[in-house]
Each structure stands twice: as structure tokens, then as C-alpha cells.
Amino acid sequence: MHNTEKQKAFILHVIYIALILGLGYIAIKYILPLLMPFVIGVIIAVLFRKIIDYIEKKIRIKRTFVSIIILIIFYGLLAFIISIIGAKAFTFLKNLFGQLPDLYRYTIEPALDKAADNIIDQFPDIKPYVEDFLLNISDTIFSFVKNASATVISKITGLAGMVPSLLIKLIFTIVSSFFFTIDYYKISDFIMRQFNGSSKELVIRLKDKGIGTIAKFIRAYMAILTITFAELSIGFLILNIPNPFLFGAMIAIIDIMPILGTGAVLLPWAIIALLLGNAKIGIGMFILYVIITAVRQAIEPKIVGGQIGLHPIITLILMYVGAKLMGVLGLLLLPVIATIIKTLNDEGTIHLFN
């Protein structure tokens, strides 16, 4: 009878955990994206809370005015930086991919023809095979270049269609950040009044651990970004690439984005360099990409796991599962959630596992 009770308790425990995980998945996958402007507003309010508190105490100005001034400066600087980087990136990509067909027609194709003529001169008997091979490879490369160019240009141009939706989200994000920042303590006090006793203590611990874990997560990825920047800068210096530190910084930032990574820049760069006959740059970019990818795969779980207190293999599994289930958001959030749960369990606030 005692064993039966234990089995029932175990089954109920598993069902409880599965239910919590299921509700968490639904919340992150479907509800969180809908509320993202307000989530970002809360994050901005939390980030600037201490700065605003300090200025308010020092110069004796109402929190409302300090909050408005700080946020106006923040959004002004952000808009300035994004507009400069965005305009340059947009122009660069559009010009690059717009010129690919002409690059093939006037540079790559003549180079292939010249190489074929040299081979035919040396081995006249294989002329039909070389011509047939050249025709096939030319059609393949031209088709690829043309399609890639058209696709990228259409995607870049298609961003214009997303402007109204992005503008609405941006407006709600900015407005919500002002409200959350100005009335941070009123809102937080109202929320805390809805809880009593142990539930209130749990909410406070969740907030503290959550903020602390996210801060550690940011530090971990800043360390990874720094390492990637150093690798890229050294590689570009060896390859004599102009402005190696500027390109290193830009590509390191891209590498932090899971959907893109360094391959989004280095691999096309390597292919174009090889097609133009610059073997040193082409092979160098491939080697640099392999080194950066290998190093990141090796250090990311260890650095992130070390910062947030999880074993590297657990961190790696959580990042992989999170990315598969919920995309980029899951990749970032699942290790954070697991860390918060582990910390609360270790402290005895909750009791999910021994």
C-alpha cells in the first residue's frame, strides 16, 4: 500500500511538472510574442530604474520629468545609431547583390572562358567535353547568381511592406516604456499587493533571480562577442582586409544572432573572392569561418553554463531544445528559466527535485 501511494505521488508530481512546462511553452510560444512591446517596455523600465532613482535623489526633480528626459535621450541615440547603420547596410546589400549578374557576366564568365581555352590549347582532344562542361557550369552559376540577386533584392524591398506593422509595435513599445518607467513603483506595488505570505515571497525571489540570471546571461554573451571580435580582427589583419576592427565588430554582432552567424557574411565573401580569382582571401575566409564556428561551439555552452550555474551539457541541450521549440526566443529563455527553477529549488523555495 505504501508503494502504491509513492507511485501515485510520483505520477502526480510528473503530471504537475508536465502541466507547468506545457503552460510555460504556450505562454512563451504564443502569448509572449503578442505582448512583446510591453515586455520590452518593462525591460527598459527595469534597466533605467536605478539611474532614474539616483538622478531623482541627487537633483530633487520629480521622477516623471527625469524618466521622460532619460528615455528621450535613449531613444534619440538609438534612432541615430540604427538609422546610420541601417542605411549603410541597406545600400551595401542592395548594391552588392544588384551587381552580381554583371559581376558574373563581365568578370567570372570571361575568367572561365580563358581557363577553358588554356585547357583546350594543352589538350585539344577534350575540347567537346570542356565546352560542354563550361556550358553547364556557366548556366548553373549564372542561374544561381541571378536567382540569389533577385531573391535578396526582393527581400530587402519587401521590408517596406513590414513598415506599418513594425511602426505600430514600435509606438506601443515606446509608449509602454514611458508608462512603465514613470510609474514603475506604483505598478510594482499594485502587483505585489495581489499576493500574500509565501506566494508574495516567491514572486519577489522569482523577480530577483530572474533579473540576476538575465544579467549573467548578457555577460556571458558579451564575453563570447569579445572573443569572436578578437578572432575576426586578427583574421582580417592577417588577410590584409581594410578596416579590420570595424568589420570585426560588425560581423561579431551578427554572429550573436542565432539565425545569421558569421557564415552569413564570411561564406559569401569567400565564394565571391574565389570566383574573382583571389584564392588567398577565399580560402582565408573559409578557414576563419571554420575556426570561429568551432571555437563558439566549444566555448558557448561552457561560458553560458558557467555564468548561469548549469552544467555545459545541460545548457547545450536546453539551448538546442529551446531553439527547436520556440526559435531564438527559446534559445535564450529556456536556460534562463531552468537556472531560476534550479536556484529556487536549491534554496528550498520550491521542491521539484532533490
Side-chain angles (χ1 to χ4, degrees):
M1 193 70 179
H2 186 65
N3 288 335
T4 305
E5 291 297 324
K6 278 189 172 182
Q7 288 172 356
K8 285 181 180 179
F10 175 76
I11 292 169
L12 288 172
H13 194 64
V14 170
I15 291 171
Y16 173 73
I17 293 174
L19 182 63
I20 295 296
L21 291 175
L23 291 173
Y25 172 76
I26 292 169
I28 294 171
K29 179 76 173 179
Y30 301 105
I31 298 174
L32 189 59
L34 290 175
L35 299 175
M36 190 54 71
F38 304 99
V39 173
I40 296 171
V42 170
I43 291 170
I44 291 171
V46 171
L47 288 174
F48 287 110
R49 176 177 64 88
K50 289 186 177 180
I51 297 173
I52 292 169
D53 288 347
Y54 178 79
I55 294 173
E56 183 186 13
K57 288 178 182 178
K58 279 291 181 182
I59 59 178
R60 308 280 183 176
I61 298 178
K62 285 186 178 180
R63 182 179 184 83
T64 301
F65 296 114
V66 178
S67 300
I68 290 171
I69 292 167
I70 291 292
L71 289 180
I72 287 173
I73 293 170
F74 168 70
Y75 282 118
L77 287 172
L78 190 65
F80 176 72
I81 293 167
I82 290 174
S83 62
I84 291 175
I85 295 174
K88 289 187 176 181
F90 181 88
T91 304
F92 173 76
L93 289 173
K94 191 169 183 180
N95 290 339
L96 174 64
F97 286 95
Q99 292 170 3
L100 280 181
D102 288 338
L103 177 67
Y104 170 79
R105 187 177 292 110
Y106 299 116
T107 305
I108 298 171
E109 190 174 31
L112 290 173
D113 289 338
K114 184 178 180 181
D117 289 339
N118 291 334
I119 294 171
I120 291 169
D121 288 341
Q122 295 292 325
F123 309 99
D125 294 338
I126 63 169
K127 180 178 179 180
Y129 303 104
V130 173
E131 289 178 342
D132 185 51
F133 173 76
L134 187 63
L135 181 64
N136 289 332
I137 197 172
S138 295
D139 290 342
T140 302
I141 293 173
F142 182 70
S143 177
F144 169 77
V145 169
K146 186 177 179 182
N147 291 336
S149 176
T151 302
V152 172
I153 288 175
S154 67
K155 290 289 184 184
I156 292 172
T157 308
L159 289 174
M162 297 170 62
V163 169
S165 174
L166 290 172
L167 189 60
I168 290 170
K169 291 178 181 177
L170 181 63
I171 290 170
F172 276 97
T173 300
I174 293 172
V175 172
S176 70
S177 69
F178 273 91
F179 281 121
F180 283 125
T181 304
I182 292 168
D183 293 326
Y184 179 84
Y185 289 107
K186 289 181 182 177
I187 295 169
S188 60
D189 289 343
F190 171 78
I191 293 171
M192 293 311 301
R193 285 199 302 270
Q194 312 313 308
F195 300 94
N196 293 311
S198 59
S199 60
K200 186 174 184 178
E201 185 182 345
L202 177 60
V203 171
I204 292 171
R205 285 182 176 275
L206 278 171
K207 184 194 77 169
D208 293 341
K209 298 301 177 186
I211 293 171
T213 303
I214 291 169
K216 291 177 181 177
F217 210 74
I218 292 170
R219 282 201 296 270
Y221 273 98
M222 286 302 296
I224 293 169
L225 186 146
T226 303
I227 292 168
T228 304
F229 165 72
E231 292 171 327
L232 286 164
S233 299
I234 292 168
F236 290 158
L237 280 169
I238 293 170
L239 294 171
N240 294 321
I241 302 296
N243 301 313
F245 298 107
L246 176 62
F247 279 114
M250 291 173 64
I251 299 172
I253 292 169
I254 292 172
D255 185 55
I256 288 294
M257 305 174 190
I259 295 175
L260 297 174
T262 54
V265 178
L266 297 184
L267 291 180
W269 196 340
I271 292 168
I272 291 171
L274 288 172
L275 291 173
L276 293 174
N278 194 334
K280 178 188 172 184
I281 298 296
I283 296 171
M285 289 296 172
F286 273 121
I287 294 172
L288 188 57
Y289 168 71
V290 171
I291 291 171
I292 290 170
T293 303
V295 170
R296 173 152 184 182
Q297 293 299 319
I299 67 171
E300 186 170 17
K302 189 171 181 62
I303 291 177
V304 176
Q307 279 288 335
I308 63 180
L310 294 176
H311 191 279
I313 190 65
I314 300 297
T315 307
L316 188 64
I317 292 169
L318 290 170
M319 292 172 72
Y320 178 79
V321 172
K324 285 292 182 182
L325 291 177
M326 293 166 281
V328 178
L329 196 60
L331 184 144
L332 299 173
L333 280 182
L334 209 58
V336 172
I337 293 170
T339 303
I340 295 169
I341 292 171
K342 178 183 178 296
T343 304
L344 293 175
N345 189 84
D346 292 344
E347 292 176 350
T349 307
I350 58 175
H351 303 280
L352 291 178
F353 46 84
N354 297 320

